[in-house]
Amino acid sequence: EEKVQARTTQLQQANAEMDRLVYSLSHDFRTPLTNVRGLLTHARKTEDPTTLHLILQHIETSTNRLDELQQDMINYAVYWREKLDPQPVQLQEMVQGIWQQFSHAHQGQIDLYFNPTNRNDWHIHTDREKMRVLLYTLLSNAIRYRATNQPARIDLSLRTVASGCAITLADNGIGIEAEQLGKVTRMFYRATHKSMGAGMGLYVAQGIARQLGGDLQLSSQVGQGTQVTIHIPLSRQETTPGAEAASMIS
């Protein structure tokens, strides 16, 4: 009976979260769509090249916003999926694939380093899609919040610890203010005007880390950068109700 009650409470919380998500996204999607409609109307009324170029820039900004919102929905769907599917994952290859997706964003202006450098040391056993969303979110944030006054770099490291493994992503970006650190993992929270998504990124990342039986730790200094560490246990028999989980160094 206690298990049934716990499960009922969990489902009620999940449904309430989904209602908030649908309500928030309906408003988030409407703003850039309205902007694009208005810009297209304005474009039809002018032949000035400078004005048209400016309109195209604004349209690009709005479509990028829509793309971010769509990606947030996809990532949330992966997070929402309860059952885990553990399998061998080559993390370095996964990161490089995600990095290629972001080529339009970083344009070769950010250096990405791996430690250890030997790709054979980057094998783990975990849920592939959830890990991909987790790493996608962290890399996306590191790219978006990079500093412009110095060469940008991201350091990704993997090390074994007593309880399993620790994956750390550190950047030298703009950093997060101390009073914001405890808030950035909240649902729909946006710390700066640079945030183009639904404010779901670190909320989903932290949730996935916990589904995998671990956790996410965040530290940052303004003007110095941000470091995020994901702790994944060697093994986990059950991470969420009904889940079959395993995360380990192979």
Side-chain angles (χ1 to χ4, degrees):
E1 185 177 344
E2 290 182 2
K3 288 184 177 181
V4 172
Q5 181 60 45
R7 181 62 172 165
T8 300
T9 301
Q10 183 185 36
L11 288 173
Q12 289 173 340
Q13 293 173 344
N15 287 334
E17 184 176 287
M18 182 61 74
D19 287 341
R20 291 177 60 202
L21 176 65
V22 171
Y23 178 81
S24 178
L25 286 176
S26 65
H27 288 273
D28 287 339
F29 271 103
R30 183 170 181 78
T31 299
L33 284 171
T34 301
N35 289 342
V36 169
R37 286 176 177 173
L39 289 164
L40 289 174
T41 299
H42 189 37
R44 294 189 185 99
K45 298 178 181 179
T46 182
E47 295 181 358
D48 178 58
T50 302
T51 301
L52 287 171
H53 179 70
L54 185 61
I55 289 173
L56 287 175
Q57 286 183 321
H58 286 307
I59 289 177
E60 183 179 24
T61 298
S62 292
T63 55
N64 286 341
R65 165 85 164 137
L66 289 170
D67 183 65
E68 290 282 348
L69 291 169
Q70 181 191 41
Q71 187 61 54
D72 278 350
M73 291 181 66
I74 293 171
N75 291 348
Y76 187 80
V78 174
Y79 161 67
W80 183 264
R81 174 173 56 81
E82 184 178 272
K83 186 175 177 63
L84 300 183
D85 180 23
Q87 55 188 289
V89 174
Q90 216 293 337
L91 280 179
Q92 192 176 48
E93 290 181 359
M94 178 177 283
V95 169
Q96 289 170 335
I98 296 170
W99 191 249
Q100 185 62 35
Q101 287 182 258
F102 285 126
S103 59
H104 68 284
H106 61 73
Q107 298 180 343
Q109 298 175 1
I110 305 177
D111 292 321
L112 177 64
Y113 297 92
F114 292 90
N115 180 33
T117 56
N118 188 345
R119 66 185 305 276
N120 292 326
D121 295 327
W122 286 85
H123 292 275
I124 69 169
H125 198 81
T126 191
D127 186 291
R128 178 180 296 275
E129 278 303 298
K130 288 182 181 290
M131 180 57 69
R132 187 196 62 78
V133 167
L134 211 168
L135 293 173
Y136 180 99
T137 299
L138 301 186
L139 286 168
S140 175
N141 284 350
I143 293 170
R144 179 176 296 113
Y145 303 117
R146 64 184 182 272
T148 56
N149 60 347
Q150 61 182 331
R153 67 177 287 159
I154 298 172
D155 291 276
L156 193 67
S157 64
L158 173 69
R159 69 184 191 278
T160 56
V161 294
S163 59
C165 71
I167 304 165
T168 299
L169 187 147
D171 64 55
N172 63 342
I174 62 175
I176 304 170
E177 295 180 359
E179 59 267 26
Q180 304 278 10
L181 272 178
K183 303 175 182 178
V184 292
T185 54
R186 295 178 184 175
M187 193 176 190
F188 306 129
Y189 189 81
R190 299 182 178 97
T192 77
H193 68 280
K194 288 188 175 184
S195 177
M196 297 183 67
M200 298 285 293
L202 287 175
Y203 172 81
V204 166
Q206 184 181 67
I208 287 177
R210 291 175 177 173
Q211 286 176 343
L212 298 177
D215 205 353
L216 181 149
Q217 293 180 335
L218 181 69
S219 62
S220 185
Q221 284 188 316
V222 173
Q224 299 296 318
T226 300
Q227 178 174 295
V228 184
T229 299
I230 311 157
H231 293 277
I232 305 295
L234 281 173
S235 62
R236 180 80 168 177
Q237 295 304 314
E238 189 170 292
T239 56
T240 53
E244 298 172 359
S247 300
M248 66 188 72
I249 301 291
S250 63

PDB file of all heavy atoms in Angstrom, residues 18 21 70-82 129-130 133 200 204 208 211:
ATOM      1  N   MET A  18       4.220  18.348 -16.018  1.00  0.00           N
ATOM      2  CA  MET A  18       3.899  18.361 -17.438  1.00  0.00           C
ATOM      3  C   MET A  18       2.938  19.498 -17.773  1.00  0.00           C
ATOM      4  O   MET A  18       3.076  20.170 -18.805  1.00  0.00           O
ATOM      5  CB  MET A  18       3.292  17.023 -17.857  1.00  0.00           C
ATOM      6  CG  MET A  18       2.979  16.928 -19.342  1.00  0.00           C
ATOM      7  SD  MET A  18       4.433  17.100 -20.382  1.00  0.00           S
ATOM      8  CE  MET A  18       5.219  15.506 -20.109  1.00  0.00           C
ATOM      9  N   LEU A  21       4.895  22.586 -17.946  1.00  0.00           N
ATOM     10  CA  LEU A  21       5.724  22.602 -19.148  1.00  0.00           C
ATOM     11  C   LEU A  21       4.902  23.019 -20.367  1.00  0.00           C
ATOM     12  O   LEU A  21       5.336  23.874 -21.149  1.00  0.00           O
ATOM     13  CB  LEU A  21       6.335  21.218 -19.374  1.00  0.00           C
ATOM     14  CG  LEU A  21       7.167  21.057 -20.650  1.00  0.00           C
ATOM     15  CD1 LEU A  21       8.410  21.931 -20.588  1.00  0.00           C
ATOM     16  CD2 LEU A  21       7.550  19.596 -20.854  1.00  0.00           C
ATOM     17  N   GLN A  70      12.525  23.609 -29.302  1.00  0.00           N
ATOM     18  CA  GLN A  70      12.244  22.263 -29.789  1.00  0.00           C
ATOM     19  C   GLN A  70      13.223  21.260 -29.177  1.00  0.00           C
ATOM     20  O   GLN A  70      12.821  20.161 -28.770  1.00  0.00           O
ATOM     21  CB  GLN A  70      12.336  22.226 -31.310  1.00  0.00           C
ATOM     22  CG  GLN A  70      12.037  20.839 -31.886  1.00  0.00           C
ATOM     23  CD  GLN A  70      12.389  20.731 -33.352  1.00  0.00           C
ATOM     24  OE1 GLN A  70      13.420  21.240 -33.784  1.00  0.00           O
ATOM     25  NE2 GLN A  70      11.543  20.077 -34.125  1.00  0.00           N
ATOM     26  N   GLN A  71      14.508  21.629 -29.112  1.00  0.00           N
ATOM     27  CA  GLN A  71      15.500  20.731 -28.523  1.00  0.00           C
ATOM     28  C   GLN A  71      15.214  20.498 -27.047  1.00  0.00           C
ATOM     29  O   GLN A  71      15.385  19.387 -26.537  1.00  0.00           O
ATOM     30  CB  GLN A  71      16.908  21.304 -28.696  1.00  0.00           C
ATOM     31  CG  GLN A  71      18.021  20.353 -28.267  1.00  0.00           C
ATOM     32  CD  GLN A  71      18.034  19.070 -29.071  1.00  0.00           C
ATOM     33  OE1 GLN A  71      18.079  19.104 -30.300  1.00  0.00           O
ATOM     34  NE2 GLN A  71      17.992  17.937 -28.407  1.00  0.00           N
ATOM     35  N   ASP A  72      14.752  21.527 -26.355  1.00  0.00           N
ATOM     36  CA  ASP A  72      14.368  21.364 -24.953  1.00  0.00           C
ATOM     37  C   ASP A  72      13.251  20.342 -24.813  1.00  0.00           C
ATOM     38  O   ASP A  72      13.235  19.532 -23.874  1.00  0.00           O
ATOM     39  CB  ASP A  72      13.923  22.702 -24.356  1.00  0.00           C
ATOM     40  CG  ASP A  72      15.090  23.562 -23.913  1.00  0.00           C
ATOM     41  OD1 ASP A  72      16.231  23.052 -23.892  1.00  0.00           O
ATOM     42  OD2 ASP A  72      14.874  24.742 -23.577  1.00  0.00           O
ATOM     43  N   MET A  73      12.291  20.362 -25.725  1.00  0.00           N
ATOM     44  CA  MET A  73      11.194  19.397 -25.680  1.00  0.00           C
ATOM     45  C   MET A  73      11.693  17.979 -25.912  1.00  0.00           C
ATOM     46  O   MET A  73      11.271  17.038 -25.226  1.00  0.00           O
ATOM     47  CB  MET A  73      10.148  19.763 -26.739  1.00  0.00           C
ATOM     48  CG  MET A  73       9.388  21.042 -26.459  1.00  0.00           C
ATOM     49  SD  MET A  73       8.155  21.400 -27.738  1.00  0.00           S
ATOM     50  CE  MET A  73       7.020  20.037 -27.502  1.00  0.00           C
ATOM     51  N   ILE A  74      12.615  17.817 -26.879  1.00  0.00           N
ATOM     52  CA  ILE A  74      13.180  16.493 -27.155  1.00  0.00           C
ATOM     53  C   ILE A  74      13.945  15.986 -25.935  1.00  0.00           C
ATOM     54  O   ILE A  74      13.801  14.820 -25.525  1.00  0.00           O
ATOM     55  CB  ILE A  74      14.106  16.557 -28.386  1.00  0.00           C
ATOM     56  CG1 ILE A  74      13.296  16.856 -29.646  1.00  0.00           C
ATOM     57  CG2 ILE A  74      14.873  15.245 -28.553  1.00  0.00           C
ATOM     58  CD1 ILE A  74      14.133  17.158 -30.866  1.00  0.00           C
ATOM     59  N   ASN A  75      14.761  16.855 -25.351  1.00  0.00           N
ATOM     60  CA  ASN A  75      15.546  16.465 -24.182  1.00  0.00           C
ATOM     61  C   ASN A  75      14.644  16.097 -23.009  1.00  0.00           C
ATOM     62  O   ASN A  75      14.926  15.143 -22.274  1.00  0.00           O
ATOM     63  CB  ASN A  75      16.495  17.594 -23.783  1.00  0.00           C
ATOM     64  CG  ASN A  75      17.603  17.810 -24.789  1.00  0.00           C
ATOM     65  OD1 ASN A  75      17.818  16.988 -25.684  1.00  0.00           O
ATOM     66  ND2 ASN A  75      18.305  18.918 -24.674  1.00  0.00           N
ATOM     67  N   TYR A  76      13.564  16.857 -22.850  1.00  0.00           N
ATOM     68  CA  TYR A  76      12.649  16.561 -21.749  1.00  0.00           C
ATOM     69  C   TYR A  76      11.965  15.219 -21.957  1.00  0.00           C
ATOM     70  O   TYR A  76      11.722  14.479 -21.000  1.00  0.00           O
ATOM     71  CB  TYR A  76      11.599  17.665 -21.608  1.00  0.00           C
ATOM     72  CG  TYR A  76      10.739  17.506 -20.382  1.00  0.00           C
ATOM     73  CD1 TYR A  76      11.200  17.902 -19.133  1.00  0.00           C
ATOM     74  CD2 TYR A  76       9.465  16.935 -20.464  1.00  0.00           C
ATOM     75  CE1 TYR A  76      10.422  17.742 -17.997  1.00  0.00           C
ATOM     76  CE2 TYR A  76       8.679  16.767 -19.346  1.00  0.00           C
ATOM     77  CZ  TYR A  76       9.164  17.179 -18.115  1.00  0.00           C
ATOM     78  OH  TYR A  76       8.398  17.005 -16.990  1.00  0.00           O
ATOM     79  N   ALA A  77      11.659  14.889 -23.214  1.00  0.00           N
ATOM     80  CA  ALA A  77      11.032  13.597 -23.507  1.00  0.00           C
ATOM     81  C   ALA A  77      11.950  12.445 -23.118  1.00  0.00           C
ATOM     82  O   ALA A  77      11.495  11.414 -22.605  1.00  0.00           O
ATOM     83  CB  ALA A  77      10.672  13.517 -24.993  1.00  0.00           C
ATOM     84  N   VAL A  78      13.253  12.619 -23.357  1.00  0.00           N
ATOM     85  CA  VAL A  78      14.223  11.587 -22.955  1.00  0.00           C
ATOM     86  C   VAL A  78      14.270  11.493 -21.433  1.00  0.00           C
ATOM     87  O   VAL A  78      14.301  10.396 -20.857  1.00  0.00           O
ATOM     88  CB  VAL A  78      15.624  11.907 -23.521  1.00  0.00           C
ATOM     89  CG1 VAL A  78      16.662  10.929 -22.975  1.00  0.00           C
ATOM     90  CG2 VAL A  78      15.606  11.844 -25.048  1.00  0.00           C
ATOM     91  N   TYR A  79      14.267  12.622 -20.765  1.00  0.00           N
ATOM     92  CA  TYR A  79      14.254  12.652 -19.302  1.00  0.00           C
ATOM     93  C   TYR A  79      12.978  12.015 -18.754  1.00  0.00           C
ATOM     94  O   TYR A  79      13.003  11.279 -17.763  1.00  0.00           O
ATOM     95  CB  TYR A  79      14.372  14.100 -18.831  1.00  0.00           C
ATOM     96  CG  TYR A  79      13.941  14.348 -17.402  1.00  0.00           C
ATOM     97  CD1 TYR A  79      14.655  13.820 -16.326  1.00  0.00           C
ATOM     98  CD2 TYR A  79      12.815  15.132 -17.118  1.00  0.00           C
ATOM     99  CE1 TYR A  79      14.257  14.055 -15.014  1.00  0.00           C
ATOM    100  CE2 TYR A  79      12.412  15.379 -15.822  1.00  0.00           C
ATOM    101  CZ  TYR A  79      13.131  14.838 -14.770  1.00  0.00           C
ATOM    102  OH  TYR A  79      12.735  15.071 -13.477  1.00  0.00           O
ATOM    103  N   TRP A  80      11.863  12.265 -19.423  1.00  0.00           N
ATOM    104  CA  TRP A  80      10.564  11.756 -18.974  1.00  0.00           C
ATOM    105  C   TRP A  80      10.491  10.235 -19.066  1.00  0.00           C
ATOM    106  O   TRP A  80       9.804   9.595 -18.269  1.00  0.00           O
ATOM    107  CB  TRP A  80       9.468  12.398 -19.830  1.00  0.00           C
ATOM    108  CG  TRP A  80       8.068  12.037 -19.465  1.00  0.00           C
ATOM    109  CD1 TRP A  80       7.310  11.072 -20.033  1.00  0.00           C
ATOM    110  CD2 TRP A  80       7.254  12.643 -18.461  1.00  0.00           C
ATOM    111  NE1 TRP A  80       6.065  11.023 -19.462  1.00  0.00           N
ATOM    112  CE2 TRP A  80       6.004  11.984 -18.487  1.00  0.00           C
ATOM    113  CE3 TRP A  80       7.454  13.671 -17.546  1.00  0.00           C
ATOM    114  CZ2 TRP A  80       4.964  12.328 -17.634  1.00  0.00           C
ATOM    115  CZ3 TRP A  80       6.414  14.015 -16.697  1.00  0.00           C
ATOM    116  CH2 TRP A  80       5.200  13.347 -16.745  1.00  0.00           C
ATOM    117  N   ARG A  81      11.206   9.661 -20.044  1.00  0.00           N
ATOM    118  CA  ARG A  81      11.205   8.199 -20.191  1.00  0.00           C
ATOM    119  C   ARG A  81      11.806   7.569 -18.943  1.00  0.00           C
ATOM    120  O   ARG A  81      12.960   7.775 -18.617  1.00  0.00           O
ATOM    121  CB  ARG A  81      12.018   7.789 -21.434  1.00  0.00           C
ATOM    122  CG  ARG A  81      12.181   6.285 -21.585  1.00  0.00           C
ATOM    123  CD  ARG A  81      12.836   5.914 -22.896  1.00  0.00           C
ATOM    124  NE  ARG A  81      14.128   6.550 -23.113  1.00  0.00           N
ATOM    125  CZ  ARG A  81      15.275   6.118 -22.580  1.00  0.00           C
ATOM    126  NH1 ARG A  81      15.282   5.066 -21.771  1.00  0.00           N
ATOM    127  NH2 ARG A  81      16.405   6.743 -22.838  1.00  0.00           N
ATOM    128  N   GLU A  82      11.015   6.755 -18.273  1.00  0.00           N
ATOM    129  CA  GLU A  82      11.425   6.233 -16.968  1.00  0.00           C
ATOM    130  C   GLU A  82      12.378   5.051 -17.071  1.00  0.00           C
ATOM    131  O   GLU A  82      13.386   4.991 -16.372  1.00  0.00           O
ATOM    132  CB  GLU A  82      10.170   5.827 -16.183  1.00  0.00           C
ATOM    133  CG  GLU A  82      10.455   5.347 -14.774  1.00  0.00           C
ATOM    134  CD  GLU A  82       9.157   5.020 -14.042  1.00  0.00           C
ATOM    135  OE1 GLU A  82       8.585   5.924 -13.425  1.00  0.00           O
ATOM    136  OE2 GLU A  82       8.740   3.853 -14.130  1.00  0.00           O
ATOM    137  N   GLU A 129      20.917   7.359 -24.486  1.00  0.00           N
ATOM    138  CA  GLU A 129      20.174   8.570 -24.822  1.00  0.00           C
ATOM    139  C   GLU A 129      20.160   9.578 -23.682  1.00  0.00           C
ATOM    140  O   GLU A 129      20.278  10.784 -23.886  1.00  0.00           O
ATOM    141  CB  GLU A 129      18.738   8.221 -25.229  1.00  0.00           C
ATOM    142  CG  GLU A 129      18.610   7.782 -26.667  1.00  0.00           C
ATOM    143  CD  GLU A 129      19.129   8.837 -27.634  1.00  0.00           C
ATOM    144  OE1 GLU A 129      18.593   9.953 -27.669  1.00  0.00           O
ATOM    145  OE2 GLU A 129      20.101   8.542 -28.350  1.00  0.00           O
ATOM    146  N   LYS A 130      20.026   9.082 -22.461  1.00  0.00           N
ATOM    147  CA  LYS A 130      20.021   9.992 -21.322  1.00  0.00           C
ATOM    148  C   LYS A 130      21.400  10.643 -21.144  1.00  0.00           C
ATOM    149  O   LYS A 130      21.499  11.838 -20.847  1.00  0.00           O
ATOM    150  CB  LYS A 130      19.588   9.259 -20.048  1.00  0.00           C
ATOM    151  CG  LYS A 130      18.103   8.911 -20.026  1.00  0.00           C
ATOM    152  CD  LYS A 130      17.710   8.240 -18.732  1.00  0.00           C
ATOM    153  CE  LYS A 130      16.227   7.860 -18.723  1.00  0.00           C
ATOM    154  NZ  LYS A 130      15.323   9.010 -18.644  1.00  0.00           N
ATOM    155  N   VAL A 133      21.810  13.394 -23.791  1.00  0.00           N
ATOM    156  CA  VAL A 133      21.100  14.626 -23.426  1.00  0.00           C
ATOM    157  C   VAL A 133      21.863  15.380 -22.340  1.00  0.00           C
ATOM    158  O   VAL A 133      21.981  16.613 -22.380  1.00  0.00           O
ATOM    159  CB  VAL A 133      19.666  14.308 -22.964  1.00  0.00           C
ATOM    160  CG1 VAL A 133      19.035  15.517 -22.277  1.00  0.00           C
ATOM    161  CG2 VAL A 133      18.811  13.880 -24.147  1.00  0.00           C
ATOM    162  N   MET A 200      15.101  24.786 -19.120  1.00  0.00           N
ATOM    163  CA  MET A 200      14.972  23.393 -18.680  1.00  0.00           C
ATOM    164  C   MET A 200      16.312  22.670 -18.606  1.00  0.00           C
ATOM    165  O   MET A 200      16.388  21.570 -18.071  1.00  0.00           O
ATOM    166  CB  MET A 200      14.078  22.633 -19.668  1.00  0.00           C
ATOM    167  CG  MET A 200      12.663  23.141 -19.768  1.00  0.00           C
ATOM    168  SD  MET A 200      11.685  22.657 -18.352  1.00  0.00           S
ATOM    169  CE  MET A 200      11.618  20.891 -18.610  1.00  0.00           C
ATOM    170  N   VAL A 204      16.870  19.354 -16.313  1.00  0.00           N
ATOM    171  CA  VAL A 204      16.829  18.026 -16.938  1.00  0.00           C
ATOM    172  C   VAL A 204      18.145  17.288 -16.703  1.00  0.00           C
ATOM    173  O   VAL A 204      18.152  16.093 -16.406  1.00  0.00           O
ATOM    174  CB  VAL A 204      16.533  18.151 -18.444  1.00  0.00           C
ATOM    175  CG1 VAL A 204      16.814  16.843 -19.167  1.00  0.00           C
ATOM    176  CG2 VAL A 204      15.080  18.573 -18.660  1.00  0.00           C
ATOM    177  N   ILE A 208      18.426  13.694 -14.908  1.00  0.00           N
ATOM    178  CA  ILE A 208      18.971  12.508 -15.555  1.00  0.00           C
ATOM    179  C   ILE A 208      20.116  11.920 -14.737  1.00  0.00           C
ATOM    180  O   ILE A 208      20.210  10.692 -14.588  1.00  0.00           O
ATOM    181  CB  ILE A 208      19.437  12.850 -16.991  1.00  0.00           C
ATOM    182  CG1 ILE A 208      18.213  13.056 -17.886  1.00  0.00           C
ATOM    183  CG2 ILE A 208      20.329  11.743 -17.554  1.00  0.00           C
ATOM    184  CD1 ILE A 208      18.551  13.469 -19.307  1.00  0.00           C
ATOM    185  N   GLN A 211      18.580   9.939 -12.146  1.00  0.00           N
ATOM    186  CA  GLN A 211      17.987   8.720 -12.681  1.00  0.00           C
ATOM    187  C   GLN A 211      19.044   7.641 -12.893  1.00  0.00           C
ATOM    188  O   GLN A 211      18.773   6.455 -12.719  1.00  0.00           O
ATOM    189  CB  GLN A 211      17.295   9.016 -14.013  1.00  0.00           C
ATOM    190  CG  GLN A 211      15.982   9.775 -13.881  1.00  0.00           C
ATOM    191  CD  GLN A 211      15.401  10.124 -15.228  1.00  0.00           C
ATOM    192  OE1 GLN A 211      16.086  10.086 -16.250  1.00  0.00           O
ATOM    193  NE2 GLN A 211      14.118  10.463 -15.255  1.00  0.00           N
TER     194      GLN A 211
END
